[in-house]
Amino acid sequence: MIALLLLPLLLPCVLPALARRALDRLAPAAALWAVTGCAVVLAGCSLAALGAFVLTGLLKLPSFAALGDFVHPLRTASDLVVLPVAATSVGALAVCALTLVRSVLHQTRAFRAARTEAGRGPVAGDLCVVDSPRPDAYALPGRPHRIVVTTAMLRSLDGPEREALFAHERAHNEGGHHYFLAAAELAAHCHPALRPVRETIRLAAERAADEAAAVSVGDRRLTARAIARAALAGQAARSERPGFAAGATTGPVPRRVQALLAAPRAPRRSGRRIAALLLACTAVSCVASVTGMADFHHRVEIAQGEERP
């Protein structure tokens, strides 16, 4: 059982490298879906494994075993292995819970502040202009979705570049990219190996919006120039927007500009291999966690006298 439940804790360590390869070889939108889905599943399986370890350790204690109405000892590995693993799992879950609550509170405050700031400016359709000397532009989710842009950012771009920037931010809202970014943030707090994946998912969201904006305005070079100039204008500004509010100035802008200036790549066989590896990683983690928990449940039933060994 312990060996099976260790797999969901080890598999997230291979995802950062797979995620980077997926972004290089898959279309940005496809990479966004594949990497985010894999990260969420691996995070959930790792939490399930930690929870199973904690329960196993608790049921090895006489007071908790009495609550389980055990008529036989719970058959597991040696207490010298089970109890330290359970204690470590308790600590890991406590750290996960603490950092996750802190992140949720911080993101909630930032989101409310951003919505309040957006509500003070003039609105034209989904566009909200905020009077600020700080160049910034981002897609703000909510009801309704908004494209928030500061007056300083508007002054930094010409007319066509502004349209490309608005198309980029509109693509974030229409694609629901805030859900992917929020999921990546949650997964990053469930397993330390998933923290680098959070940045890959953010880059995938920006690349997907870049491509959508290029299609919308019909000019890849214009979109690249708008992204580059917006990033240069906003690089010295410190944004207070929430982490799940995507913006055009986010991530490695030179890499994004280079991708826009290059011709769109046709699907390659290596992309299908990476997608298959992501799917296999997810499947193995799910099977290992489900099988390990089923084995644990079976051992509990044996200890309760409900089944024969």
Side-chain angles (χ1 to χ4, degrees):
M1 180 190 74
I2 290 181
L4 275 175
L5 291 176
L6 283 176
L7 268 178
L9 298 177
L10 296 176
L11 283 172
C13 298
V14 306
L15 186 57
L18 285 178
R20 291 191 296 269
R21 288 177 177 269
L23 187 55
D24 289 337
R25 290 167 171 77
L26 295 174
L32 179 61
W33 276 95
V35 174
T36 306
C38 187
V40 169
V41 172
L42 292 184
C45 290
S46 66
L47 290 181
L50 290 175
F53 285 141
V54 171
L55 286 176
T56 303
L58 289 176
L59 292 176
K60 296 292 285 184
L61 302 176
S63 55
F64 284 93
L67 294 176
D69 297 325
F70 288 174
V71 297
H72 305 293
L74 181 65
R75 296 176 58 186
T76 63
S78 170
D79 290 357
L80 295 177
V81 175
V82 172
L83 295 180
V85 169
T88 303
S89 299
V90 169
L93 286 174
V95 171
C96 289
L98 178 61
T99 58
L100 183 58
V101 169
R102 290 177 59 185
S103 176
V104 169
L105 292 176
H106 173 72
Q107 297 295 336
T108 300
R109 287 194 296 267
F111 176 68
R112 289 176 177 173
R115 292 295 297 187
T116 300
E117 183 183 42
R120 295 176 183 152
V123 176
D126 61 348
L127 179 64
C128 176
V129 179
V130 176
D131 186 11
S132 172
R134 172 172 50 88
D136 198 9
Y138 56 93
L140 183 62
R143 295 185 179 178
H145 293 326
R146 296 292 188 198
I147 297 171
V148 180
V149 60
T150 63
T151 51
M153 180 61 79
L154 291 178
R155 288 193 295 268
S156 302
L157 307 176
D158 60 27
E161 291 169 347
R162 292 176 188 173
E163 292 302 319
L165 179 67
F166 299 158
H168 174 98
E169 306 302 352
R170 193 167 286 115
H172 279 311
N173 282 333
E174 292 176 351
H177 292 169
H178 51 283
Y179 293 118
F180 296 92
L181 298 181
E185 183 70 21
L186 293 176
H189 292 288
C190 295
H191 197 292
L194 296 178
R195 291 172 187 168
V197 180
R198 173 176 52 188
E199 299 308 315
T200 303
I201 292 173
R202 183 172 294 278
L203 176 57
E206 294 303 328
R207 284 284 298 113
D210 290 343
E211 294 296 330
V215 172
S216 178
V217 300
D219 190 335
R220 298 180 68 84
R221 295 187 66 85
L222 170 62
T223 306
R225 188 171 72 248
I227 297 300
R229 292 191 64 182
L232 286 173
Q235 64 181 353
R238 182 170 177 265
S239 176
E240 300 295 337
R241 63 175 181 261
F244 55 82
T249 59
T250 305
V253 175
R255 179 178 173 183
R256 292 167 51 201
V257 170
Q258 184 178 12
L260 280 169
L261 293 177
R265 293 174 299 181
R268 294 186 294 176
R269 183 174 299 180
S270 59
R272 291 193 290 270
R273 287 198 295 266
I274 290 297
L277 285 174
L278 288 172
L279 181 60
C281 186
T282 304
V284 170
S285 183
C286 287
V287 170
S289 60
V290 170
T291 305
M293 294 176 69
D295 180 61
F296 168 71
H297 183 262
H298 179 66
R299 291 170 187 264
V300 169
E301 289 184 332
I302 292 174
Q304 291 173 335
E306 296 179 5
E307 290 188 11
R308 291 184 179 181

